[in-house]
Amino acid sequence: MPLSVDIEKPDAPGVADLLAGWAAARGDTAAPGARALGGPETRLVVARDDGIAVGCVALVDCGTLGEIRHLFVMPAQRRGGVARAMMAVLESEALRLDLRHLRIVDASGKDPASGLYRGLGYLPCAQGAPCLEKTLR
């Protein structure tokens, strides 16, 4: 079965493991739970390879701005186009929601996916804040 990328509920099978991997990669002791990502303003994009969850990224609708959070791809699946495929679904969903701008906040300034984001057209925020943003419309 090829890679599938869809919007799923945060309590879908395998998602908790992805969020735990995201937290561990950042040195956090606790992963965001399904409750934190289950609000009506949040869409969770999940990539599955042969039905197994291998990546996720969240889109939070903040009005005309969408915040991108919790991008994570299992180590064995990295550099295979999973993150790029998830971002394509996320951006399509953002357009469907009529969001005009997307932003990724990186308080550390060391997000390992910053190269991916820049390759997708995300640019440093104008105010010099540690974030990247992209205008969709």
Side-chain angles (χ1 to χ4, degrees), residues 111-128:
D111 189 327
S114 63
L116 166 76
Y117 297 135
R118 289 174 191 264
L120 293 172
Y122 290 80
L123 301 172
C125 294
Q127 299 87 358

Side-chain angles (χ1 to χ4, degrees), residues 51-94:
I52 298 169
V54 297
C56 66
V57 62
L59 170 65
V60 180
D61 181 345
C62 300
T64 61
L65 171 73
E67 286 188 7
I68 298 170
R69 299 181 186 170
H70 312 305
L71 175 72
F72 181 74
V73 176
M74 296 296 274
Q77 300 289 327
R78 292 181 185 160
R79 301 220 173 259
V82 174
R84 192 171 287 275
M86 290 188 308
M87 289 298 293
V89 170
L90 181 142
E91 288 185 6
S92 291
E93 180 66 4

Side-chain angles (χ1 to χ4, degrees), residues 14-32:
V15 172
D17 292 335
L18 292 172
L19 295 172
W22 175 85
R26 296 196 167 338
D28 293 342
T29 56

